[in-house]
Every structure is written in C-alpha cells, then in structure tokens.
C-alpha cells in the first residue's frame, strides 16, 4: 500500500497537516479516537488559540524558529476556519479563545477537513517497524490484528511529547528522530503543578487567590491554587516551564494591592479590629488562618506600628518557597524540549538531512505558554508542513 504522505499522530498538528498535504495521505494513530488531547482541553471546550499568540509566547533553544510558521498561519487564520465551520466561540481571560459548545466540534471540524482533502485515517494502529528507502520510507503497522506494509514519499512525525502517558503519550517521535540522525534536546514536564514533599498546603487545598509567581527569569500574574500536593493554577503552570529543580520561587499574594496603605488607613478608623480580620478582607480567610502561624499577625490593628505593617506587607509580597518537584508528565499539559530545531527547516518543518521527513507540533522543541498557544503552534506547524508537501 503506497501513499504520498503518511502522518504518524492524529492530534491537532497531524490532522491540520493532513488537511493541507494534497495527494494520497494516510494518518495513523494508536489511540481509539483522533484528537484525544483536543477533547479534554479547556474543560471540554478547547482553548483552541490565543488572540495574542506570537513568538514571545514560546520557549525553545532557538526562539526564532517558530516565527516563520506562526507568521504564515496565524491565530486569525484558525479563527476564520472555525467560523467557516459555524463553530461559536468566545474570549475568556488574557485572549484565550474557547468553543461556546464542545471541544468535539474542533475535532469534527478537523475530520471534515481531512475528508474534504481525501485523506484516510487509521486509529488503533501501531507502528511495528520503520526504515528509510531510496524512494522514501517503508513502514510495518498492525491494525485490528493484521500486519500492513506501507510505503510513502513523505513521513510526518506528529505524535506529540511525553505528557499525560495515561492517554497514550510516549517518546515515539524522539525515538524515530534519533533513528534518522536528528538530535533531541533535553525534555521535561511543563505547564505542570509544583509539589511539596512535606504536604504543607493540605489544609489549604481548594483555596485560590490572584498572585504573582516569579523566579530569576520571569513572572506571571494569574490565579494560584493550593492543592493537597502543593501549588497549581495558571500562574504556577506558567512558571513551571521556566523552573529548575532545587530553585526557589517567589509568591506575591498581594500583587498590585497597596496593603500597607490600606492597613494603616484602617488602623485610624478601626484600630480595635483584629489584624487577621482586616487581612481576611483582602485574602481568603483560610489562607490568613494558615499564614498567621508563619508570620507575625497577632493583636489588633492599633497594636501594629508602621514598621510592623511594612514588614507584613513585604512578607506577603515576597513569600519564598522551594518546591520539591513537579507532578511530572502524569499531569503536565505539554513537554518542554524535543526534536532540535537546528535540524529542521523553519519554513517547511522538514529535516535538513533527511529529505521527506517532517516533524511538527509538540514533538518539536517549541513549547507555548498556557492559554491556547500550544494549539496555535500545532495549527501553524501542521499547516507549514502540509503546504510544503503539497508544493513539492
């Protein structure tokens, strides 16, 4: 069975590529259904892109690599595609775009695009062997208990990274890349909660507060969520991509809040009020109860000097914590690192030294922020590879 292009992986990038390749195309995935990460994303409504998507929202050893694909297929191009399929959407916070209905609408849209392009889709199909040939590639796959020998001129790696192994994620793309001489950068879990081995935040589990999390490299102002294992929430997930083992993080629980001024003013009119009572107007009561055992919060407002209020405000804006680690690939939204971009064309996503081999999406060393950016990279890189193949 001979194809012009075989795409390994029926996720966001793989299906986008299949819709744009032209010729005889086969998409293969070992899962029971295509687009499983799309299905679970955004609480079932799929945060399919971000209004502010641009190169500055992505991490890579080569921060310039993503520019070409992102410029040639933008978030507005994908929004236009969504609109043509009649899918209603809305903006949430920070430019995040979601379906009004279900994430399954995005999957169906991509399946319709694949069908329109005449591509085939095989699910529950496992790759057994792969080799380079003079004309392209030869693959052995198993489907419904039967062996199939396939050939193609172009092979696209779109199998993603290692994140969420319970959904079938593996390092297959990295293994295949190495097989053909491509380098793979160090990989680790990203957009992932922090853990603390001493369980120090168990009693705060479920408490959420706006916060600024930072380290020596960057900072993010978004919600912080305490869990029985540690810290989660958007600000934590964002910072995790920039965090290294053993590094302390700074938690600012009062970003943008002039707490010293507020407490000093209240001291003048309500000095007999307990300090913790007043703090509970600005922070969750459970958090104040927890913090009073770690910071000096005794007495009434009238008992607090300007120095004491200054020290308290400073402590709440510079809470130094050192996570034990992260929850790892088990809950990570993406994998940081991947196939080295130095070995790929930024315009076509083709391997420089292996004609006909393309790699797209999360498998590549391009990792987006939380908020629809990784889906945009999937659309942009998949489109780049697909249109390059179609033009050959």
């Amino acid at each position: 069975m001979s194809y012009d292009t075989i795409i390994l992986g029926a996720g966001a990038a793989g299906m986008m590529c299949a819709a744009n390749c032209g010729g005889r195309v086969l998409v293969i995935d070992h899962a029971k259904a295509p687009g499983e990460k799309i299905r679970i994303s955004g609480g079932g409504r799929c945060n399919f892109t971000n209004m502010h998507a641009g190169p500055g929202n992505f991490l890579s050893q080569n921060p310039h690599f993503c520019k070409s694909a992102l410029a040639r297929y933008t978030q507005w191009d994908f929004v236009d595609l969504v609109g043509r399929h009649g899918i209603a959407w809305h903006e949430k916070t920070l430019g995040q775009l979601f379906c009004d209905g279900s994430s399954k609408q995005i999957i169906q849209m991509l399946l319709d695009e694949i069908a329109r392009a005449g591509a085939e889709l095989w699910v529950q199909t496992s790759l057994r062997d792969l080799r380079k040939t003079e004309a392209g590639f030869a693959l052995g796959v198993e489907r419904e208990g039967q062996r199939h020998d396939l050939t193609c001129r172009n092979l696209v790696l779109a199998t993603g990274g290692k994140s969420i192994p319970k959904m079938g994620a593996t390092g297959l793309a990295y293994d295949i890349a190495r097989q053909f001489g491509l380098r793979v950068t160090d990989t680790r879990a990203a957009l992932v909660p922090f853990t603390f081995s001493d369980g120090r935040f168990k009693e705060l589990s479920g408490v959420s507060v706006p916060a600024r999390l930072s380290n020596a490299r960057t900072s993010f102002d978004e919600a912080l969520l305490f869990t029985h294992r540690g810290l989660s929430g958007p600000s934590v997930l964002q910072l995790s991509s920039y965090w290294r083992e053993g590094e302390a993080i700074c938690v600012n629980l009062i970003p943008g809040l002039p707490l010293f001024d507020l407490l000093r003013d209240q001291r003048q009119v309500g000095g007999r009020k307990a300090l913790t009572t007043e703090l509970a107007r600005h922070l969750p009561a459970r958090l104040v109860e927890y913090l009073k055992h770690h910071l000096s919060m005794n007495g009434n407002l009238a008992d607090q000097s300007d120095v004491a209020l200054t020290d308290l405000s400073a402590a709440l804006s510079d809470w130094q914590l050192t996570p034990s680690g992260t929850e790892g690939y088990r809950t990570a939204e993406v994998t940081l690192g991947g196939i080295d971009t130095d070995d790929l064309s930024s315009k076509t996503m083709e391997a420089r030294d292996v004609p006909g081999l393309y790699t797209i999406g999360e498998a590549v060393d391009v990792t987006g922020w939380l908020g629809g950016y990784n889906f945009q990279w999937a659309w942009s890189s998949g489109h780049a590879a697909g249109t390059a193949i179609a033009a050959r």
Side-chain angles (χ1 to χ4, degrees):
M1 301 177 70
S2 181
Y3 293 87
D4 296 308
T5 303
I6 293 178
I7 300 170
L8 301 180
M15 288 193 283
M16 176 58 82
C17 183
N20 289 279
C21 281
R24 192 174 184 205
V25 178
L26 172 64
V27 185
I28 293 173
D29 202 296
H30 67 286
K32 292 182 180 179
E36 283 294 270
K37 274 196 172 182
I38 299 174
R39 181 181 61 81
I40 68 168
S41 69
R45 290 192 172 181
C46 187
N47 179 192
F48 55 80
T49 191
N50 194 291
M51 293 172 62
H52 308 304
N57 305 114
F58 294 85
L59 292 79
S60 174
Q61 288 193 1
N62 178 0
H64 301 290
F65 180 84
C66 64
K67 291 180 177 179
S68 176
L70 291 172
R72 288 181 294 115
Y73 192 85
T74 71
Q75 58 269 43
W76 306 115
D77 292 314
F78 191 77
V79 167
D80 181 63
L81 178 63
V82 169
R84 293 203 307 271
H85 283 261
I87 300 173
W89 55 271
H90 61 278
E91 178 191 356
K92 289 184 76 173
T93 59
L94 303 174
Q96 301 170 29
L97 304 188
F98 289 77
C99 298
D100 285 357
S102 168
S103 57
K104 293 178 182 178
Q105 294 174 285
I106 298 296
I107 298 173
Q108 188 58 54
M109 176 190 77
L110 294 168
L111 291 175
D112 290 345
E113 288 291 305
I114 288 175
R116 178 192 57 77
E120 295 180 59
L121 172 64
W122 290 6
V123 293
Q124 294 183 285
T125 303
S126 301
L127 179 68
R128 296 306 183 196
D129 54 74
L130 168 65
R131 60 186 175 86
K132 188 78 174 69
T133 67
E134 189 171 323
F137 302 87
L139 301 80
V141 303
E142 186 175 315
R143 184 189 189 202
E144 298 177 349
Q146 293 189 343
R147 164 88 180 202
H148 298 271
D149 293 315
L150 313 172
T151 61
C152 60
R153 289 190 298 112
N154 307 299
L155 179 68
V156 182
L157 306 183
T159 56
K162 298 178 180 178
S163 57
I164 317 184
K166 70 179 181 181
M167 295 186 66
T170 69
L172 177 62
Y174 311 143
D175 295 337
I176 295 174
R178 293 188 184 100
Q179 176 184 340
F180 293 114
L182 277 65
R183 293 164 292 184
V184 178
T185 70
D186 291 338
T187 59
R188 58 188 179 85
L191 299 183
V192 62
F194 290 133
T195 58
F196 292 79
S197 58
D198 56 9
R200 69 182 71 178
F201 300 125
K202 284 183 179 180
E203 63 192 90
L204 287 176
S205 182
V207 173
S208 180
V209 63
R212 176 178 300 141
L213 264 69
S214 58
N215 61 8
R217 289 171 291 283
T218 191
S219 66
F220 291 95
D221 285 39
E222 292 190 64
L224 164 66
L225 174 67
F226 294 93
T227 74
H228 66 280
R229 288 186 294 271
L231 301 176
S232 188
S235 61
V236 169
L237 301 188
Q238 296 280 38
L239 191 65
S240 71
S241 296
Y242 295 83
W243 181 77
R244 298 294 183 270
E245 291 282 343
E247 180 181 45
I249 63 172
C250 172
V251 179
N252 182 348
L253 295 169
I254 52 172
L257 184 70
L259 186 63
F260 170 80
D261 294 334
L262 294 171
L263 293 178
R264 183 186 57 186
D265 293 346
Q266 190 61 30
R267 183 179 62 188
Q268 302 303 315
V269 297
R272 299 172 71 177
K273 185 183 296 184
L275 174 60
T276 52
T277 301
E278 181 60 23
L279 280 174
R281 293 180 56 203
H282 307 290
L283 293 170
R286 283 172 60 195
L287 178 57
V288 173
E289 180 67 21
Y290 174 89
L291 290 171
K292 79 177 185 181
H293 299 294
H294 302 272
L295 301 174
S296 178
M297 293 186 181
N298 299 317
N300 297 330
L301 282 170
D303 302 324
Q304 313 301 319
S305 66
D306 282 0
V307 172
L309 294 181
T310 298
D311 290 345
L312 177 60
S313 298
L316 293 174
S317 63
D318 188 21
W319 190 13
Q320 296 288 319
L321 297 169
T322 303
S324 304
T326 73
E327 292 191 5
Y329 292 117
R330 183 179 65 85
T331 62
E333 297 207 10
V334 291
T335 302
L336 188 71
I339 297 170
D340 197 326
T341 59
D342 285 349
D343 293 336
L344 306 175
S345 162
S346 62
K347 183 177 180 180
T348 65
M349 309 303 294
E350 185 176 19
R352 296 186 184 280
D353 298 327
V354 188
L357 179 65
Y358 298 77
T359 180
I360 58 178
E362 189 183 345
V364 181
D365 175 28
V366 175
T367 305
W369 288 6
L370 183 73
Y373 297 100
N374 287 291
F375 273 132
Q376 185 57 47
W377 173 244
W379 315 136
S380 296
S381 61
H383 184 269
T387 53
I389 290 169
R392 290 186 68 173

